[in-house]
Amino acid sequence: MPVALPRLRRTRQLLVLAAGLALGACAPTATVVPAPTIASGDALLEAMRQRYDGKWYRTLTFTQRTVQVAPTGGPERHGTWYEAMQAPGRLRIDTDSTLRSGQLFARDSQFLVLNGDVRRAAAGHNVLLVLGFDVYAQPAARTSAILRELGFPNGPVREDTWQGRPVWVVGGRAGDLRSHQYWVDRERLVFVRLLQPFPGDTTQTFDVRFNKYRPLEGGWIAPEVEAFVGTRRILFEEYADVKANVDLDPRLFDPRAWTAARHWRR
């Protein structure tokens, strides 16, 4: 297995990944399912999996409008990315319209592709993919193990409110907005927020938010994603042409077949 990328590279991947990361869950019905009692992160992950077991979509494609700013400030960079996801664990991000460059997460590894060639490969997972999608498509124990590897604890678990809705918070105690933690909507059981020390400057907090959830094919989608370092917003993503449960060429997630695979945009 290749060595891990440098920490700054991991940060860039978290930002890129934030894209894929709009989420799903069963569309609301007339019967409201009461929020379970949660005592640990493992219990919350199991509740998320069980709520949508066999219902959550397994594939997703969308076009993403992307706005980026360096953590230290500067001009905005605008772009259009094209993403395809297959849960668990596969995400392809084409970062140019020629479909020859981008990033791939597959087989517990991450790949950087430039002009059709793999330029870098390393072991690793995308935490946003794990919390936003994979949690509904694999055993909770597998999700829990990956989160531990990425530095996220099994507790404590507390109640809070986010954007006017009650949430479970795993990691960090009341008032702590710096340590590794993730936030989950209590009623819908979907991921809404992640905080951790910023790898490029651990005196600051990296804060990712999934916004404006709406129902999608037995699940939910957050078509807007934001990421902050401290108070500075460094990433904004907005999704269009969102489609779930589409047939995807398996070669899309093979770095050796980056340009040969049948792309969903063609």
Side-chain angles (χ1 to χ4, degrees), residues 22-188:
L23 293 315
C26 277
T29 64
T31 301
V32 176
V33 179
T37 299
I38 298 296
S40 68
D42 287 351
L44 179 57
L45 297 173
E46 181 62 27
M48 294 170 73
R49 188 198 65 80
Q50 288 188 7
R51 173 72 65 84
Y52 300 108
D53 189 22
K55 303 173 185 177
W56 195 278
Y57 50 83
R58 289 301 182 100
T59 66
L60 182 72
T61 61
F62 57 88
T63 299
Q64 175 182 303
R65 181 173 72 89
T66 308
V67 182
Q68 296 174 287
V69 177
T72 55
E76 293 183 346
R77 291 174 291 153
H78 295 252
T80 301
W81 297 351
Y82 308 93
E83 306 207 16
M85 183 276 297
Q86 181 177 324
R90 295 173 176 82
L91 177 69
R92 172 170 168 150
I93 304 168
D94 291 272
T95 55
D96 68 2
S97 59
T98 68
L99 308 181
R100 294 186 60 82
S101 297
Q103 284 195 327
L104 177 67
F105 295 83
R107 304 197 305 267
D108 296 342
S109 299
Q110 48 199 338
F111 305 89
L112 175 66
V113 178
L114 295 176
N115 198 29
D117 295 325
V118 176
R119 297 296 179 86
R120 188 182 295 260
H125 298 273
N126 187 302
V127 65
L128 300 177
L129 180 63
V130 173
L131 284 168
F133 302 93
D134 293 352
V135 64
Y136 305 106
Q138 65 188 8
R142 169 66 172 159
T143 301
S144 179
I146 294 172
L147 290 177
R148 301 294 186 283
E149 179 183 329
L150 296 174
F152 289 85
N154 191 37
V157 179
R158 61 182 174 88
E159 298 180 26
D160 209 317
T161 301
W162 177 245
Q163 297 181 343
R165 295 183 59 86
V167 294
W168 296 113
V169 181
V170 180
R173 300 189 180 276
D176 173 11
L177 296 178
R178 284 187 42 76
S179 61
H180 284 75
Q181 56 194 270
Y182 59 93
W183 299 35
V184 173
D185 185 286
R186 288 185 61 191
E187 178 188 341
R188 297 170 177 169

Side-chain angles (χ1 to χ4, degrees), residues 18 21-23 128 132 191-192 208-213 222 224-225:
L21 311 200
L23 293 315
L128 300 177
F191 163 76
V192 294
V208 183
R209 307 168 183 181
F210 281 16
N211 301 328
K212 300 182 179 180
Y213 271 99
E224 179 183 287
V225 175

